[in-house]
Amino acid sequence: MNVVIVSGTVFGAAEDVAHHAAEFLTEAGLSVTYKPRLSYAELIALDADALLFVTSTTGMGELPENLQPLVRALRDQPPAWSSMLGAVIGLGDACYGEDFCAGGEAIRELYAELGVIELQEMLRLDASETVTPADDAEPWLADFAAILTE
Ligand SMILES: Cc1cc2nc3c(=O)[nH]c(=O)nc-3n(C[C@H](O)[C@H](O)[C@H](O)COP(=O)(O)O)c2cc1C
């Protein structure tokens, strides 16, 4: 099972969570690739079985700029991903109300458009509640690993 992790970040927190997720899932026996900057061509070439997008939200509910070109490219040239598995970790701040983790929601919409099968409910990491998002993701990552290895 080949898992590719993709991240979108402004200040680096989502990248920290993605690095931690890569280590955690590798220890759980999965084959994991994580590159903080991934182009469309690189993502396709990795031939993933499962995708994990880890993204924060910026502005008023927008995806971080470093993730937008990849998302645009996936919409412009939808890959043949009908059996692709996926999950999303969203980082946000509940102070933003309706826009809480809207970046993660945007990736869920992208998954739906591309036919990616979402394996478990999106993890929402709230910056107003925790300063240890990477550690807090572990129980959710354990569930994700269990689904992928069962
Ligand atoms: C300018 C700015 C805008 C933000 N907008 C949102 C938002 O619309 N929704 C949300 O849930 N969080 C929002 N956040 C909170 C960040 O998503 C959160 O702090 C996250 O942990 C940052 O992760 P990063 O370091 O990977 O960018 C915003 C933060 C900043 C500084």
Side-chain angles (χ1 to χ4, degrees):
M1 179 63 68
N2 179 16
V3 183
V4 175
I5 301 178
V6 180
S7 64
T9 189
V10 179
F11 302 109
E15 241 172 65
D16 291 345
V17 173
H19 275 298
H20 191 68
E23 282 171 17
F24 188 95
L25 296 174
T26 303
E27 275 169 30
L30 293 155
S31 162
V32 182
T33 305
Y34 172 50
K35 250 184 85 177
R37 301 272 179 282
L38 201 62
S39 70
Y40 174 87
E42 286 171 322
L43 176 56
I44 301 299
L46 284 168
D47 198 20
D49 300 306
L51 297 171
L52 173 59
F53 272 69
V54 182
T55 185
S56 67
T57 302
T58 190
M60 291 305 288
E62 282 136 44
L63 280 170
E65 257 177 44
N66 76 316
L67 192 51
Q68 289 188 17
L70 177 62
V71 169
R72 262 197 305 275
L74 288 167
R75 285 212 163 95
D76 290 347
Q77 303 166 68
W81 272 355
S82 53
S83 58
M84 180 69 82
L85 307 174
V88 183
I89 296 178
L91 285 83
D93 189 322
C95 304
Y96 287 86
E98 295 194 330
D99 290 326
F100 179 45
C101 287
E105 294 293 353
I107 298 301
R108 296 188 60 224
E109 280 165 29
L110 177 72
Y111 280 177
E113 286 167 35
L114 298 177
V116 175
I117 300 155
E118 206 177 348
L119 291 176
Q120 75 193 87
E121 197 175 324
M122 177 169 85
L123 175 64
R124 292 168 176 79
L125 295 166
D126 181 359
S128 68
E129 291 281 331
T130 180
V131 289
T132 54
D135 292 342
D136 296 351
E138 286 189 3
W140 184 97
L141 288 167
D143 290 345
F144 185 54
I147 295 169
L148 292 177
T149 52
E150 75 189 9

